Amino acid sequence: MRSIIVNIQRTYRKIDWQLLLFLVLVLDVKLFVKLAALLLLTVINRRRISVQGVFKQRYLWFYFGMIVIGFINVLLQYKYLTLFYVLVATLGTLFWILCAVAAFHAFGIIQNGSLVKKYYTVGFFFLLHISIILFNFLSIIIETGSINPYKYKGLNNKYFVSTGDSLKGITFDSPVTTAMICAFGILFFLYRRRFFYSFLCMLALLLLASNLTNIFLVCVCVFIFIFHSDRIQKSILVIFSGMLIIFNVVVSPDNNEHIFSFLYKLVGKAYYLPKVKVLTNDELKQQPDSLLTIKERRIKTALIYIDSVNSVETRAKVIRDQKNNAVVLQDKPKDKDSAFYEYRPSVEVKGKENRFSILLKELYPEAKKDSLAKLFDWERSGKLIAYKELFSFLKDHKDKIWLGTGIGNFSSRVAFKATALDIAGSYPAKYQYIHPDFMDNHFYIYLHYHSQWQFEHTAANTPDSTYSEILGEYGIAGILLFVIFYCGYFLRRLRYLTYGIPLFFLMLMGLSVEYWFEQLSIIILFELLMVLDIRSLTERRQLT
C-alpha cells in the first residue's frame, strides 16, 4: 500500500496540472465545457496576456485574418442582410475567436515551466485516452459475451463491423476524432522512443477501425519509414503494418469491404462486378451471405426481419385458412430467436433517414433533383463529389473566388448547425438558415447519402473538409492566409523537428475530411504538440 501511495505521489509531482486541465477540458466534445475551460485559463493567466504576446504567435494571424474576411463578406451582403444570417456570421466568428484563444493558451502553457513535465503530461493524457477506449471495448465484450465483437452478429448487429463507432475516448467525441488522437499518440511515443506506449496507441486505433485515419497513417508511415526513421523505428513500423493486416484479415475481415469499396469509389471504379441478373427480394433472401455484398446482406437481413415481424400474423392467417379449408402456407414459421442475429437499424438512425427523405422531397423538386443527378456520378464517393462541386461552383461564380461566399454560406460546421437539424449540434429551429449556395451543393450531398441505407452513412460520403470550408467561404484570400501564416509558421521549423514532421503531414491529410477548426479539438492538440516540439528544438539549439 505504501509503495502505491509513493507512486501516486511521484506521478502527481510529474504532471503539469494546468496543461492536463487544458487537454482534458478544452478537447471535450461539449462546447460549454470548452468555453468554461478557456474562460478559467484566461482568468488564471490574465497577467501573461499582452498584445505583444499575441502577435508573437505568427500562426494566430491566420485566425485574425479569417475573422476580417468574414466581416468583409458580411458588409458586402448588406443589401440582403437578415437577423438569421447575422446570428450565423456571429457564431462562425466566435469559433475563430475560440480557436485563437485556445492556440494562445496552448502556446503560453507550453512555453512556461519544465519541459520534462510537459512531455510527461502529454504522454499521460494519451494513456488516459487509450485506457478509456480499452475500458469501453471490455464493456462491449462483457455485453456481447464474445471475445471478438467484430464478428458478433447478435443484438441485431448492434456492434459487428460498427464496433469501433461505439468506442469513446477521453474527449467523448466522434470516432474520427478519437482515432486521430490515437494516431497522434502513435507518432508522439514513436519519436519519444516509448515504443510500448506507441504500441498501445496502435492497438486502440485498430479497435476503432477508422478506415480513413488508418489510410492517412499508412501514408505517413511509408514516408517516415523511407525518410525519417532509424532502424528501431523502422522495425516498429513493420510490426504496426503486421498488426493492421492481422486485424483486417483475422479480427474484422468484413471491414475490408468498406475499405476497398471506398478506394474504388474514390478512383471512380465499380468495386463489385455488375450482376448478370437483378435479384428479386425473394431470391436475395435465398442467396448465401458469401455471395452478397455487405449492403445486400443487410438488405437481406432486413427483409428476413420484416418476415419475422409478420410471422405471428401469418400463422394466425394459416389457422384461419385451415378452418375455412383454404390453402395452407407450406413454409415453416420462422424461429423466434433468429431475429436476434438479424441487422436492424436503430430507432434514431431510421428516424434520421426518414426525416432526411422527407426534407429532400420538400427542398428539392423532381426537376431540381434530376438536374443535380446528371451533374455527377453519384455512385462515387460523396467527398469526391463535394470537391468537384466546389471547383464547379467557383468556375461559375468568379466573383466569389477571392473572398468566398461568406461564413456559413457554402460548406462548414456552422452551415450544417444553422440548418437546425441536429447535424452538427443543436441550433434554435426558429432561426434556421440555409443559404442557396449551400443547399444546392454540399447540403444536398449530405441529405442524398444520409437518407439512404445506413451503409452509406460513412465519412467517405460526407462533404466535410476544412479545405472546402476555407476556399468556399473565404476564397483564395483564406487559402493564402492558411498557407502563409498557418502552414508557413510550422514549415519554417519543420526540418529540425522530431514527431512534428509526420504529425504535420498527417494533419494536412486530416484537414481533408473534417471541419477541424470549428470542432476545437484535433487542431488544438496538433498546435500544442507542434509548439512542444518547437520548444524542444529551441532548447536543443541553446545547448549546442
Side-chain angles (χ1 to χ4, degrees):
M1 179 62 70
R2 174 169 292 187
S3 63
I4 294 174
I5 294 173
V6 170
N7 287 331
I8 292 174
Q9 290 174 340
R10 286 177 181 173
T11 302
Y12 179 86
R13 286 193 293 267
K14 288 180 180 178
I15 291 175
D16 183 323
W17 289 100
Q18 185 174 167
L19 175 56
L20 187 63
L21 176 75
F22 178 88
L23 289 168
V24 173
L25 298 183
V26 177
L27 300 187
D28 190 89
V29 67
K30 298 293 185 183
L31 183 59
F32 74 88
V33 176
K34 297 176 187 290
L35 289 170
L38 291 175
L39 180 61
L40 177 61
L41 288 168
T42 301
V43 172
I44 293 173
N45 300 306
R46 61 187 181 278
R47 293 181 180 178
R48 290 210 308 252
I49 299 174
S50 65
V51 176
Q52 183 181 0
V54 171
F55 281 95
K56 185 179 179 181
Q57 297 172 235
R58 295 295 178 90
Y59 62 92
L60 289 184
W61 295 12
F62 161 69
Y63 293 127
F64 301 143
M66 299 299 275
I67 294 171
V68 171
I69 294 174
F71 182 70
I72 292 173
N73 274 318
V74 170
L75 295 180
L76 291 175
Q77 301 176 55
Y78 72 95
K79 290 183 179 179
Y80 316 101
L81 210 57
T82 64
L83 173 61
F84 296 167
Y85 183 65
V86 170
L87 292 175
V88 170
T90 302
L91 180 62
T93 303
L94 175 63
F95 277 117
W96 289 119
I97 293 173
L98 291 176
C99 281
V101 172
F104 176 79
H105 284 305
F107 185 89
I109 290 172
I110 293 299
Q111 295 301 323
N112 294 278
S114 168
L115 185 62
V116 175
K117 270 193 171 185
K118 307 300 179 186
Y119 275 116
Y120 187 88
T121 305
V122 171
F124 186 75
F125 167 79
F126 281 125
L127 292 179
L128 285 177
H129 180 67
I130 297 166
S131 300
I132 294 172
I133 293 172
L134 295 178
F135 176 81
N136 286 331
F137 183 68
L138 180 61
S139 66
I140 291 175
I141 290 177
I142 295 172
E143 180 184 356
T144 59
S146 172
I147 196 67
N148 184 6
Y150 300 91
K151 288 185 177 180
Y152 181 73
K153 295 186 178 182
L155 300 174
N156 307 115
N157 291 185
K158 177 182 177 182
Y159 296 111
F160 193 34
V161 292
S162 302
T163 300
D165 295 338
S166 303
L167 300 177
K168 299 294 183 184
I170 196 168
T171 64
F172 301 97
D173 212 326
S174 66
V176 178
T177 304
T178 306
M180 284 293 285
I181 294 175
C182 290
F184 283 9
I186 291 170
L187 299 175
F188 176 81
F189 286 123
L190 181 65
Y191 284 90
R192 293 289 297 160
R193 310 191 76 79
R194 302 292 189 267
F195 300 126
F196 178 70
Y197 296 146
S198 185
F199 166 81
L200 290 178
C201 287
M202 185 65 189
L203 177 62
L205 178 62
L206 292 177
L207 294 177
L208 291 163
S210 177
N211 295 325
L212 280 174
T213 306
N214 288 341
I215 292 171
F216 294 155
L217 186 63
V218 166
C219 294
V220 170
C221 286
V222 170
F223 168 79
I224 61 179
F225 184 88
I226 299 172
F227 300 108
H228 191 55
S229 57
D230 56 30
R231 287 185 178 181
I232 298 177
Q233 291 167 334
K234 290 182 194 296
S235 301
I236 297 298
L237 292 174
V238 171
I239 294 173
F240 287 169
S241 301
M243 291 172 63
L244 181 61
I245 293 170
I246 291 171
F247 182 83
N248 284 300
V249 173
V250 179
V251 180
S252 183
D254 292 278
N255 189 49
N256 291 331
E257 288 202 52
H258 290 285
I259 299 172
F260 288 113
S261 63
F262 165 68
L263 293 176
Y264 272 70
K265 277 186 175 184
L266 202 61
V267 297
K269 301 292 184 181
Y271 177 53
Y272 304 110
L273 294 175
K275 293 181 172 59
V276 177
K277 177 184 177 183
V278 177
L279 298 174
T280 64
N281 287 343
D282 289 335
E283 290 171 332
L284 186 63
K285 287 186 286 185
Q286 299 301 320
Q287 287 287 322
D289 286 353
S290 60
L291 299 180
L292 301 175
T293 67
I294 288 181
K295 185 175 181 179
E296 288 173 330
R297 285 181 219 163
R298 290 187 168 183
I299 294 174
K300 172 186 172 182
T301 52
L303 290 170
I304 295 174
Y305 169 68
I306 293 172
D307 290 344
S308 68
V309 170
N310 295 330
S311 62
V312 175
E313 240 177 77
T314 303
R315 287 195 292 271
K317 184 178 184 302
V318 169
I319 294 172
R320 289 196 302 270
D321 289 344
Q322 284 178 330
K323 290 181 179 179
N324 297 324
N325 296 320
V327 178
V328 178
L329 186 66
Q330 297 298 320
D331 293 338
K332 293 182 180 180
K334 190 170 179 61
D335 183 358
K336 63 180 181 179
D337 295 327
S338 63
F340 180 75
Y341 296 98
E342 294 165 358
Y343 173 73
R344 191 190 318 170
S346 65
V347 175
E348 293 79 9
V349 170
K350 199 62 185 173
K352 183 179 74 171
E353 291 172 354
N354 293 336
R355 189 167 71 251
F356 290 162
S357 295
I358 294 171
L359 197 62
L360 269 174
K361 293 178 181 178
E362 291 178 350
L363 295 179
Y364 305 92
E366 288 301 320
K368 182 69 174 177
K369 284 197 287 188
D370 290 341
S371 65
L372 290 171
K374 293 175 183 177
L375 289 175
F376 306 102
D377 179 6
W378 293 91
E379 291 299 318
R380 302 186 73 171
S381 163
K383 198 167 291 295
L384 187 61
I385 293 174
Y387 282 113
K388 289 188 173 183
E389 275 189 348
L390 170 64
F391 291 112
S392 177
F393 174 81
L394 293 176
K395 182 180 177 181
D396 296 336
H397 300 79
K398 291 183 172 57
D399 58 318
K400 304 292 185 182
I401 290 178
W402 291 105
L403 294 177
T405 61
I407 298 175
N409 285 342
F410 186 81
S411 180
S412 61
R413 187 174 177 86
V414 169
F416 278 104
K417 183 183 281 289
T419 62
L421 296 172
D422 292 329
I423 296 175
S426 59
Y427 192 85
K430 62 181 179 179
Y431 297 120
Q432 184 186 56
Y433 175 85
I434 306 175
H435 193 275
D437 293 338
F438 176 52
M439 188 169 72
D440 293 345
N441 291 279
H442 287 192
F443 189 47
Y444 179 80
I445 291 176
Y446 187 91
L447 292 179
H448 172 79
Y449 286 104
H450 283 72
S451 61
Q452 297 181 42
W453 192 257
Q454 190 176 356
F455 181 78
E456 301 291 347
H457 306 179
T458 64
N461 286 332
T462 59
D464 306 26
S465 167
T466 301
Y467 299 123
S468 293
E469 175 187 3
I470 295 176
L471 187 55
E473 296 189 358
Y474 302 88
I476 291 178
I479 290 292
L480 290 175
L481 285 173
F482 176 72
V483 172
I484 296 171
F485 293 111
Y486 196 82
C487 295
Y489 178 84
F490 300 113
L491 279 172
R492 283 192 293 273
R493 301 160 176 83
L494 200 61
R495 60 177 178 160
Y496 303 107
L497 302 181
T498 56
Y499 63 81
I501 295 175
L503 185 65
F504 179 77
F505 292 116
L506 178 62
M507 192 70 252
L508 286 182
M509 287 188 283
L511 290 172
S512 65
V513 298
E514 284 287 349
Y515 303 119
W516 286 123
F517 286 106
E518 292 172 302
Q519 284 212 17
L520 293 168
S521 57
I522 291 300
I523 205 71
I524 296 173
L525 181 59
F526 163 76
E527 292 170 353
L528 185 142
L529 291 173
M530 292 297 288
V531 170
L532 180 60
D533 205 8
I534 291 169
R535 180 187 169 185
S536 180
L537 162 67
T538 304
E539 294 194 2
R540 289 198 304 269
R541 283 181 171 179
Q542 289 174 351
L543 290 174
T544 56

